[in-house]
Amino acid sequence: SLSTATATATAATEFGIDDIYHVQNVGIVASGIVRCGTIAVDDRLSLGPDKRGHYRTVTIASIQVRRRDCSYAFEGQMASLHLAEIASKRELRRGMVLVDAAKCATAAHTCFSFEAHIDVLHACSLQENSQPILHIENIRQSAHILHLHCADHILRHGQNGCGVFTFLHSPEFIRCGMKIIIRKSHGPIAIGRVTKLLDSAEKPLVQPLNSLQKPQRLRTCKHKAKMFKSYLAKWKLEHMHMKKVSDAAAAAADSVDSVDSAVGAATSSSEEKSDEKETFSTTDDEDNDDGELTSRKNLSKATHVQTRKSKSKKWALVWRSGLGFENFYPSMY
């Protein structure tokens, strides 16, 4: 027992933040579980990582365990820590950690991309380039599956293998051996463990960092050829674009043919009426040429219908993987 206590005291302190509160007349309080080591009042620990992978030093002003003030929080206990230097909840997020920078190399464990060995659950499948949500300890973030080490790049139910994952929004503090739960909107689809860290916050494996994030809507980028082409190249939508263009051209050709046929029918009817007028008219004042008026009316109606069809918005069903819902967005083309 003495050796165990000594090892606990000398181990690097690590505290995972689960929830963040703003207590009136106190300040910002972070609650979570002490993963290893011991936390004492007035300890100075490193808080992070932020979106850039940086850490900052904070002071533990007070500790509560089971709603009672304590001087220490030991390994395995759920505690609430009052952080003195934090002024707003926006400075914290779930997934951050408090570690002792003197005993733990924070940069070596802060990464975007990592490799994990995963087991797919029953009646589920995991596909390359999908974007599920990863749960690692108190971390919950969407990730992109860069590669799956299998023949057809798909892991089906009952299969296991290794995959390369990268976080989409911010780097995280993870260690080899941590458990992973991979889920989508309907629930968990795979479990596994971290086997290898592949990059760091300063040098991410995928650059730029936002190249894997799907935008909710392609705003004001259609007139910028380079951005639009790069977007198509990233998500392999060139064939869809060409198909829609060809369909639009075919529809335009059909509409032109219908308008031409309508104009031809209108002109033929006007010629017949003009012949009748030449046969039965007795004075020059009655030659008002009603056929031209009808042809113009028919042509204006056809063009009005065509413009209404072109102005009507086309909606496309877009599946946002990992977010758990479907949205209807206007078509980009």
Side-chain angles (χ1 to χ4, degrees), residues 95-113:
M96 282 185 170
V97 294
L98 287 167
V99 294
D100 188 358
K103 299 180 181 180
C104 176
T106 56
H109 296 283
T110 305
C111 67
F112 277 97
S113 304

Side-chain angles (χ1 to χ4, degrees), residues 37-102:
T38 303
I39 301 176
V41 178
D42 296 332
D43 278 355
R44 294 183 62 82
L45 302 176
S46 296
L47 171 67
D50 57 9
K51 290 187 176 181
R52 297 183 179 180
H54 298 162
Y55 289 78
R56 57 183 294 188
T57 303
V58 296
T59 304
I60 308 301
S62 62
I63 301 174
Q64 279 195 352
V65 177
R66 296 184 179 180
R67 299 185 179 182
R68 292 184 179 181
D69 292 332
C70 300
S71 299
Y72 297 91
F74 299 98
E75 180 179 353
Q77 288 184 334
M78 180 174 289
S80 299
L81 310 179
H82 174 212
L83 308 180
E85 287 81 4
I86 305 300
S88 174
K89 292 174 63 176
R90 296 181 180 179
E91 301 179 28
L92 301 179
R93 64 176 177 85
R94 182 178 181 180
M96 282 185 170
V97 294
L98 287 167
V99 294
D100 188 358

Side-chain angles (χ1 to χ4, degrees), residues 17-34:
I17 297 177
D18 290 329
D19 294 301
I20 305 156
Y21 307 97
H22 183 275
V23 181
Q24 191 174 4
N25 300 327
V26 175
I28 304 301
V29 175
S31 66
I33 298 176
V34 182

Side-chain angles (χ1 to χ4, degrees), residues 194-213:
V194 178
T195 58
K196 186 179 181 182
L197 306 183
L198 300 179
D199 62 0
S200 62
E202 290 76 16
K203 295 181 180 180
L205 186 64
V206 179
Q207 292 183 350
L209 296 177
N210 60 351
S211 61
L212 295 175
Q213 299 179 20

